[in-house]
């Protein structure tokens, strides 16, 4: 499966990730995270594959996160409720999310991309 990268074109972190992928000849399919956010099922799968907890998938520095008072909601919401919220608004999701169907990375750290996506 080609690497799928959920990204927001104006996001500087996403731009860095795409630049790294291009420089390292890693073919990828960009998916606009706001126009085409992952579904609840896709998110559930991404979270399982990543081995990370669900809160790592939230864009905690985003305006939407603050507007919705997510810091407080995170303490009491069920995983189901959190998945609903993530699936409802791509701006709530930490980006970029890259996946090849077997592995998942969230955000962009060069070392992590080196280990995970370099051929």
């Amino acid at each position: 499966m080609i690497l799928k990268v959920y990204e927001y074109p104006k996001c500087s972190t996403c731009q860095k990730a795409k630049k790294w992928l291009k420089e390292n000849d890693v073919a990828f399919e960009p998916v606009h995270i706001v126009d085409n956010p992952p579904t609840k099922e896709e998110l559930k799968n991404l979270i399982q594959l990543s081995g990370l907890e669900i809160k790592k998938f939230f864009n905690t520095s985003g305006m939407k996160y603050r507007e919705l008072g997510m810091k407080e909601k995170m303490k009491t919401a069920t995983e189901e409720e959190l998945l609903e919220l993530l699936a409802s608004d791509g701006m709530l999701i930490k980006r970029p999310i890259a996946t090849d169907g077997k592995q998942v990375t969230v955000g962009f750290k060069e070392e992590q991309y080196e280990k995970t996506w370099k051929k």
Side-chain angles (χ1 to χ4, degrees):
M1 173 181 166
I2 189 167
L3 189 65
K4 189 186 275 194
V5 180
Y6 289 96
E7 52 101 28
Y8 184 62
K10 292 179 184 156
C11 163
S12 60
T13 308
C14 295
Q15 290 165 1
K16 285 180 200 157
K18 290 190 298 186
K19 181 176 187 269
W20 187 93
L21 291 168
K22 285 174 188 162
E23 286 172 356
N24 288 277
D25 296 319
V26 179
F28 67 95
E29 172 195 343
V31 179
H32 196 298
I33 203 161
V34 177
D35 295 345
N36 300 299
T39 64
K40 205 167 113 179
E41 283 310 308
E42 286 172 317
L43 283 162
K44 205 175 212 169
N45 189 36
L46 290 168
I47 291 164
Q48 277 176 336
L49 284 173
S50 75
L52 299 169
E53 49 192 324
I54 193 167
K55 67 182 181 188
K56 296 285 188 199
F57 279 76
F58 278 87
N59 178 9
T60 56
S61 56
M63 269 183 358
K64 202 65 166 175
Y65 186 87
R66 289 192 294 272
E67 276 172 24
L68 294 173
M70 286 307 300
K71 193 173 183 180
E72 284 307 306
K73 282 186 185 168
M74 295 296 267
K75 295 174 186 170
T76 57
T78 65
E79 185 166 320
E80 203 59 27
E81 290 166 332
L82 294 175
L83 281 168
E84 290 277 342
L85 279 162
L86 279 173
S88 74
D89 191 336
M91 291 307 269
L92 270 177
I93 303 171
K94 185 172 175 79
R95 53 190 183 257
I97 295 177
T99 184
D100 60 1
K102 295 190 256 329
Q103 301 181 91
V104 175
T105 55
V106 181
F108 174 69
K109 288 193 176 79
E110 198 166 330
E111 321 76 75
Q112 187 186 32
Y113 267 52
E114 282 285 330
K115 272 197 308 218
T116 316
W117 307 124
K118 199 155 187 176
K119 293 176 182 136

